[in-house]
Amino acid sequence: MLGRNTSIKTGVLHSAVAFALSAATFGFAPSAQASEYQTATVAVEQIGEMTTLAGTVVPYKEVNLAAQSPGRVTFISGAEGDSFTKEELLVTIDDDSIQAQRRAALADIASAQAGMQNARVQYSRELISPRTNSVTGMPGMGMPTMFDQFFTRGFSNMVGNSNTGVERQADLYNSYSGMNQAQSQLMQAHARLETLDASQRDTRTLAPFDGVITQKLVEEGDTVQPGQSLVRYAYTKYLRLQVEVPVRLVSSIDKGMMLPARLDVRGPEVMARVAQIFPMADASGHTVTVKFDLPEGTPGGPGMYAEVRVPDVSSAFRTAPVVPTEALVWRGSFPSVFVVDGDNNVSLRLVRLGINLDDGRMSVLAGLKGGEQVILNPPAGLSSSSASGSVK
């Protein structure tokens, strides 16, 4: 029985051979017998219905590359469908104004470096050779000046009117502060240059990964503003199928489940794996977005119409024969099984397959009624007229 936890792996529909299924058997010689082959009995069980949902093929991942700075588009690497590798240039925007600001920033850096050097020299001079008004300065050989240097300052320090040690410390701190200010101005000039370099990088749009341009939204010469879309870029080596699944059907889908899908109305049927189930439903449509991984090399491209069949646990159950997948034989694109009757005669029957159950068996829509004995893992050379012996 197909329930909430039943994994639906495959469902192969062969409408092209529906006209031959009613015949049930080929016309082979009834005298042929089976030769020591393992068999299994075709059981009849309740099978749930499948619901077909429409979806759209989308790239495995897709990004919308937008402008980061204002300007005029000067270069576009290619057109829709052109392939690029990671970090390859896609679009460039003119950067004349940024180049001018960058030259001004370089001039500011040179000026700040000169100021920094001067501040260091002034600090070194104050540290090694203090100014004349400091405690160790010798202004000259005149008697009044020497008297003032040795007696007047000493007396002033003694009565508390001055303190030559504090003055010396203040002169050193002033020179050191000037050096720190010059260093800060140099750092600001470098930061301004880094900002302009980042702005210049924003004028060049690079490929974030290997992929193709899916849509070109601007042309050379267009003036763009920050946030305006330039190109849509996608990784299309692997494709996905995006389907809006009704809420009532989401409970029957699990991540990793294999479900039959078909690209376009008459396209080939493939098995799609449930890759992502969105955690929230759309409030207006009462649907949940589900993404399916398509097999590598699936013919088609993004934007194509597609269909996927999902189990409908809310629908009525019906009975259908089920056979082990080991009993299936593929002659071309038509599935069939070897059936053994009560006299150990072997016949090949075409079958119309339904869904693949999670226990390694597959439902049969036509070709079997139930109760038949089918041969498991029949060899490639087996035919209705080549087997003889007994059946295990």
Side-chain angles (χ1 to χ4, degrees):
M1 177 180 291
L2 181 63
R4 176 183 299 270
N5 296 323
T6 302
S7 297
I8 306 301
K9 297 181 180 178
T10 183
V12 183
L13 179 60
H14 299 278
S15 57
V17 299
F19 67 94
L21 297 177
S22 59
T25 62
F26 288 97
F28 294 105
S31 60
Q33 294 180 338
S35 176
E36 298 184 356
Y37 299 116
Q38 291 185 347
T39 62
T41 303
V42 178
V44 178
E45 298 183 4
Q46 287 185 324
I47 304 297
E49 295 290 342
M50 302 287 286
T51 299
T52 301
L53 300 175
T56 305
V57 178
V58 297
Y60 182 77
K61 56 181 176 180
E62 184 178 19
V63 293
N64 183 20
L65 301 178
Q68 301 298 314
S69 62
R72 179 175 53 86
V73 178
T74 58
F75 176 74
I76 300 179
S77 296
E80 290 82 353
D82 291 344
S83 300
F84 300 90
T85 58
K86 185 178 181 180
E87 300 298 330
E88 192 171 352
L89 180 63
L90 297 178
V91 183
T92 59
I93 301 173
D94 71 283
D95 57 352
D96 295 341
S97 62
I98 297 177
Q99 290 287 359
Q101 296 177 46
R102 193 175 187 278
R103 289 191 293 270
L106 290 174
D108 292 340
I109 290 177
S111 177
Q113 287 176 340
M116 179 67 183
Q117 293 295 333
N118 179 60
R120 287 178 176 175
V121 170
Q122 296 301 323
Y123 178 76
S124 299
R125 190 196 70 171
E126 185 65 31
L127 183 63
I128 298 173
S129 178
R131 292 176 296 179
T132 57
N133 61 346
S134 64
V135 67
T136 59
M138 294 295 292
M141 295 300 293
M143 186 61 66
T145 304
M146 293 180 63
F147 184 84
D148 180 69
Q149 183 74 16
F150 290 104
F151 296 101
T152 304
R153 283 185 176 273
F155 184 76
S156 179
N157 290 340
M158 184 180 64
V159 298
N161 290 335
S162 64
N163 190 321
T164 54
V166 173
E167 293 176 1
R168 163 73 170 162
Q169 200 68 23
D171 291 340
L172 286 174
Y173 184 81
N174 183 45
S175 298
Y176 182 77
S177 177
M179 187 173 61
N180 284 340
Q181 291 177 2
Q183 185 177 7
S184 298
Q185 292 176 357
L186 181 60
M187 293 175 62
Q188 290 177 359
H190 277 292
R192 174 62 177 166
L193 181 62
E194 292 174 359
T195 301
L196 292 173
D197 288 341
S199 299
Q200 189 176 21
R201 286 193 298 269
D202 289 340
T203 63
R204 297 165 55 87
T205 301
L206 305 180
F209 46 80
D210 296 348
V212 300
I213 294 177
T214 58
Q215 188 177 6
K216 188 170 64 173
L217 303 174
V218 294
E219 296 290 344
E220 292 185 13
D222 288 345
T223 301
V224 297
Q225 298 297 326
Q228 182 175 343
S229 298
L230 301 175
V231 295
R232 293 186 183 276
Y233 189 78
Y235 182 78
T236 57
K237 183 178 180 181
Y238 303 109
L239 297 176
R240 279 183 167 179
L241 176 59
Q242 182 170 320
V243 181
E244 298 299 326
V245 180
V247 175
R248 65 181 180 86
L249 300 178
V250 174
S251 60
S252 61
I253 302 176
D254 294 323
K255 188 174 180 180
M257 181 183 293
M258 303 295 293
L259 295 175
R262 185 183 301 276
L263 273 64
D264 206 352
V265 178
R266 299 182 180 179
E269 190 172 81
V270 297
M271 298 306 299
R273 182 178 66 88
V274 179
Q276 182 181 9
I277 302 176
F278 281 44
M280 294 185 62
D282 180 50
S284 59
H286 302 288
T287 58
V288 176
T289 302
V290 179
K291 290 186 177 181
F292 300 82
D293 285 336
L294 295 175
E296 184 178 358
T298 301
M304 289 184 58
Y305 172 82
E307 294 179 346
V308 63
R309 290 192 293 144
V310 301
D312 188 354
V313 296
S314 63
S315 62
F317 288 90
R318 61 182 179 83
T319 59
V322 292
V323 296
T325 54
E326 295 86 351
L328 295 176
V329 179
W330 295 87
R331 301 296 173 89
S333 59
F334 302 147
S336 56
V337 295
F338 283 102
V339 178
V340 181
D341 61 14
D343 297 328
N344 284 342
N345 296 324
V346 178
S347 61
L348 183 66
R349 294 190 187 183
L350 288 176
V351 292
R352 180 180 176 184
L353 300 178
I355 59 176
N356 195 349
L357 307 179
D358 60 354
D359 59 356
R361 298 180 302 166
M362 181 168 287
S363 65
V364 177
L365 303 179
L368 297 173
K369 296 181 179 180
E372 297 94 336
Q373 294 289 324
V374 293
I375 297 178
L376 302 178
N377 299 313
L382 180 64
S383 64
S384 296
S385 57
S386 64
S388 63
S390 60
V391 177
K392 291 183 179 180

